[in-house]
Amino acid sequence: MKKIFSFALMLLGMATALTSCSDDRDSNPTIGQPTQFVVNASPVAGQYIQLTADNKVNLTWSQPNYGYNALATYQIQVGVNNNGSITWNTKDGADKFLETTFTQCNADISGEEIAEAICEIDGVVDEDSYVDQGFRPIVFRVKSSIQDSKGNDVPGTAILSNEVTFDHMAAYCAIKSKAIIWIIGNCGGWLEPSKGNAEALTDWRIYETEIGSKIFNGTVEMPEGDLTFRIYTALTGWDGGASLGHLADDEATEVAFSGGVYTDQYVYPGKGSWTFLGFPGGPLEITLDMIQGTIKFEQK
């Protein structure tokens, strides 16, 4: 799943609360049921918007009141308004939230990602099943929650916003493909994980095993020497919040294989890199399971 920014600040706040509870329990932050969550009406909601792979749709919203200054994760939900009845889920009954998430109250949402969501709601599985629906009302709302390091909602922290409608929005045949992760580190010259470097990072891509599985597996040829790298789920730059690593903080940790295999619970978002000293060079199989929150490196 594509994800922006970090859960580390919440963990730090919880650790501080635990160390001080014997002194002053009343000062500890308590996560309450959030309230007062409003998405703002867009100034272009009445315009005709043709979605493309390159344009973006902007949404802004208020910060929910959790009772303290919480670091929330925001998920965008897309719905199709059919004569006053809004369809929020796909044909298999799943609510359609976009994969890219945010921790700021301002989102520039990819037109391609919105079009993919609309096609999923319409039941489009290939080009032959696509029917151009033209301009129609497309509805958005936002879910706010506190999430743990595996991207799961902390119970009692989720809240849905109001709905906002873009009166005339047109999708196109945007069929979802397998998601990609990128290996970023000294093995590839520490190239920035940006869209401008997409072609240069071709050899450092690993694909999802099946569309929507959230499990990635692939083998890359690693150079000989000390290896330091982390994983990115999107090409959004160094500070785009799409990094996945051993730790939350931007520091490398030396780890070692056992029988040619190393497994770990990753932190996402997290910039802590893995370092394998004296790697002999050769193929390295990487398996990332974003459901279980695990990653495995295996020498081949």
Side-chain angles (χ1 to χ4, degrees):
M1 179 181 190
K2 304 171 183 176
K3 180 150 177 111
I4 296 183
F5 292 104
S6 178
F7 184 65
L9 289 178
M10 180 186 168
L11 293 179
L12 178 61
M14 291 173 68
T16 302
L18 288 172
T19 58
S20 62
C21 64
S22 62
D23 297 325
D24 185 6
R25 293 181 184 272
D26 293 337
S27 65
N28 294 338
T30 300
I31 301 176
Q33 177 62 43
T35 59
Q36 303 171 6
F37 188 31
V38 177
V39 176
N40 301 315
S42 171
V44 298
Q47 297 183 13
Y48 285 79
I49 300 173
Q50 172 63 62
L51 297 170
T52 71
D54 299 318
N55 65 7
K56 296 183 183 298
V57 174
N58 180 260
L59 283 182
T60 62
W61 53 85
S62 65
Q63 185 174 15
N65 179 13
Y66 282 96
Y68 76 106
N69 190 22
L71 183 63
T73 296
Y74 302 106
Q75 296 173 271
I76 313 296
Q77 190 173 21
V78 176
V80 176
N81 187 331
N82 294 303
N83 299 318
S85 176
I86 301 174
T87 302
W88 294 104
N89 47 35
T90 57
K91 296 299 182 181
D92 61 3
D95 284 346
K96 189 57 217 171
F97 287 95
L98 303 185
E99 289 188 5
T100 303
T101 60
F102 304 85
T103 57
Q104 295 180 333
C105 300
N106 188 324
D108 286 323
I109 311 166
S110 163
E112 180 176 31
E113 198 168 359
I114 298 171
E116 287 176 349
I118 294 172
C119 285
E120 283 190 68
I121 293 171
D122 287 342
V124 177
V125 295
D126 52 35
E127 291 186 5
D128 292 336
S129 62
Y130 175 75
V131 176
D132 187 359
Q133 304 280 358
F135 292 95
R136 52 185 169 158
I138 301 298
V139 189
F140 294 84
R141 62 185 178 188
V142 182
K143 186 182 86 169
S144 173
S145 65
I146 306 296
Q147 294 191 347
D148 62 22
S149 60
K150 295 181 182 179
N152 300 314
D153 293 346
V154 174
T157 67
I159 182 174
L160 279 173
S161 74
N162 59 304
E163 303 162 4
V164 293
T165 300
F166 287 76
D167 298 328
H168 313 287
M169 184 174 284
Y172 61 97
C173 187
I175 303 171
K176 191 174 182 180
S177 59
K178 291 181 179 180
I180 303 172
I181 58 173
W182 288 263
I183 302 164
I184 303 295
N186 62 358
C187 49
W190 281 113
L191 283 175
E192 181 183 6
S194 62
K195 290 185 178 180
N197 286 330
E199 185 175 350
L201 291 169
T202 298
D203 292 338
W204 305 107
R205 297 182 300 186
I206 294 177
Y207 286 88
E208 206 173 14
T209 55
E210 299 290 342
I211 294 175
S213 70
K214 297 186 178 180
I215 298 173
F216 300 79
N217 177 263
T219 301
V220 293
E221 191 72 20
M222 288 292 191
E224 181 181 354
D226 297 342
L227 291 181
T228 298
F229 60 87
R230 56 183 179 258
I231 306 296
Y232 277 76
T233 60
L235 298 179
T236 53
W238 294 119
D239 299 319
S243 58
L244 176 156
H246 178 69
L247 300 170
D249 295 332
D250 189 1
E251 58 183 77
T253 301
E254 293 180 10
V255 295
F257 293 103
S258 176
V261 177
Y262 175 79
T263 59
D264 199 1
Q265 294 277 336
Y266 63 80
V267 177
Y268 181 56
K271 284 194 170 184
S273 299
W274 291 276
T275 294
F276 294 93
L277 296 178
F279 188 79
L284 180 67
E285 182 179 6
I286 299 176
T287 303
L288 173 69
D289 187 333
M290 297 193 75
I291 298 174
Q292 299 297 323
T294 60
I295 192 166
K296 181 174 76 170
F297 306 102
E298 184 172 2
Q299 293 175 281
K300 293 295 183 177

